């Protein structure tokens, strides 16, 4: 299977691409360049959807929408530019890339599997993450609607909602905040990027052939 994963220069995206590359033909992308076991296309910027044109989207059987950015800070004082940027990168550009993927797959009369990396922040309220929450909640809603729209054409569309993982994105959390999350998590630890990657391996496979439109939470029980 040929799979495109976005945001693979580090963190979760890198782990997903490395894991999937053990069994599949994987292409990753991001703004920068990296050395990896999978092919990585640089210069793909979610601030500039024109850069998507270099991606041969119709070739891929599955698309993993992993690119994401977070900003924290109280909403009342957040700069308008920052609110727009989070929605643009996490939601609007992700939808535009997905639209191009769907159009190109339909043009070659093939279906595909789409996996959106969302977050538990989209289903639970956390102070300081209003714009990020809005972007992820929007992605989950789009997942359901797209699953209905494209199911008859054989596409499957799912979201994964991870809890906190140790990546650059979560690096601003203090040791105390991490301890508090761990204390509140029934399994007593953070989620690992490998655990999320394994779920994606399952979701792209035929073993998941009747799973679509779902928002799957991987958080050690934090949100139950
Ligand atoms: N870490 C967590 O605790 C956590 C929890 C739940 C959900 N998530 C979600 O998981 C996904 C991955 O997060 P992460 O923790 O791995 O974050 P990360 O370590 O900050 O990595 C983000 C990745 O996205 C790429 N990216 C960011 N902005 C981009 C842009 N404008 N254009 C193209 N690529 C861009 C980055 O590549 P370049 O900067 O090289 O372009 C990088 O590869 C995100 O959707 C995030 O919301 C994370």
């Amino acid at each position: 299977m040929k799979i495109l994963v976005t945001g693979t220069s580090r963190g979760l995206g890198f782990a997903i691409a490395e894991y999937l590359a053990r069994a599949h033909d994987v292409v990753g992308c991001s703004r920068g360049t990296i050395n990896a076991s999978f092919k990585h296309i640089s210069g793909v910027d979610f601030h500039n959807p024109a850069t998507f044109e270099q991606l041969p989207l119709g070739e891929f059987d599955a698309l993993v929408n992993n690119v994401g950015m977070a900003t924290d800070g109280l909403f009342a004082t957040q700069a308008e530019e920052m609110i727009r940027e989070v929605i643009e990168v996490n939601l609007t550009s992700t939808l535009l890339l997905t639209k191009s993927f769907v159009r190109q797959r339909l043009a070659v009369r093939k279906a595909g599997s789409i996996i959106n990396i969302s977050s538990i922040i989209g289903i639970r309220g956390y102070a300081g993450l209003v714009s990020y929450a809005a972007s992820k909640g929007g992605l989950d809603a789009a997942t359901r609607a797209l699953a209905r729209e494209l199911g008859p054409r054989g596409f499957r569309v799912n979201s994964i909602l991870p809890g906190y993982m140790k990546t650059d994105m979560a690096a601003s959390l203090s040791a105390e905040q991490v301890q508090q999350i761990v204390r509140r998590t029934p399994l007593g630890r953070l989620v690992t990027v490998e655990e999320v990657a394994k779920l994606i391996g399952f979701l792209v496979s035929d073993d998941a052939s009747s799973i679509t439109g779902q928002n799957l939470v991987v958080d050690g029980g934090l949100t139950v």
Side-chain angles (χ1 to χ4, degrees):
M1 191 180 290
K2 195 160 179 183
I3 305 173
L4 176 67
V5 184
T6 69
T8 48
S9 63
R10 57 178 185 271
L12 178 61
F14 183 85
I16 293 168
E18 289 259 295
Y19 177 77
L20 294 177
R22 295 182 203 166
H24 302 284
D25 184 2
V26 174
V27 176
C29 63
S30 71
R31 289 169 293 188
T33 49
I34 52 157
N35 287 321
S37 64
F38 52 88
K39 183 181 173 197
H40 182 89
I41 301 175
S42 58
V44 175
D45 187 354
F46 275 50
H47 288 116
N48 181 8
T51 61
F52 299 165
E53 283 165 19
Q54 64 172 307
L55 299 169
L57 293 168
E59 290 176 9
F60 295 101
D61 304 296
L63 168 65
V64 181
N65 284 316
N66 168 75
V67 162
M69 60 173 288
T71 52
D72 50 11
L74 293 178
F75 189 59
T77 55
Q78 196 166 38
E80 177 180 335
E81 205 175 284
M82 205 40 91
I83 296 170
R84 290 188 186 282
E85 187 178 357
V86 172
I87 300 294
E88 180 190 16
V89 170
N90 293 3
L91 184 58
T92 313
S93 291
T94 298
L95 290 179
L96 291 175
L97 179 68
T98 304
K99 177 188 165 184
S100 298
F101 171 71
V102 168
R103 283 180 69 87
Q104 291 189 34
R105 291 298 284 178
L106 289 173
V108 293
R109 298 183 184 282
K110 287 186 175 161
S113 174
I114 299 164
I115 296 169
N116 295 317
I117 303 299
S118 177
S119 168
I120 56 168
I121 307 295
I123 54 166
R124 290 288 184 278
Y126 286 91
L129 288 169
V130 173
S131 307
Y132 181 77
S135 71
K136 295 301 189 181
L139 208 50
D140 294 339
T143 295
R144 286 186 288 271
L146 204 53
R148 282 227 168 257
E149 193 169 307
L150 292 175
R153 311 298 287 266
F155 285 77
R156 292 188 298 109
V157 191
N158 292 289
S159 289
I160 296 181
L161 287 62
Y164 291 90
M165 300 168 288
K166 277 189 187 160
T167 66
D168 289 357
M169 185 178 281
S172 63
L173 290 173
S174 67
E176 269 173 32
Q177 286 173 308
V178 171
Q179 279 317 309
Q180 192 183 46
I181 293 164
V182 166
R183 270 199 308 277
R184 289 178 181 172
T185 303
L187 293 183
R189 60 176 177 80
L190 298 185
V191 172
T192 68
V193 288
E194 289 77 19
E195 286 172 316
V196 175
K198 285 177 185 170
L199 176 57
I200 293 171
F202 169 69
L203 279 179
V204 297
S205 77
D206 283 345
D207 291 341
S209 52
S210 65
I211 300 177
T212 194
Q214 300 305 307
N215 298 163
L216 300 155
V217 176
V218 185
D219 69 348
L222 178 59
T223 54
V224 296

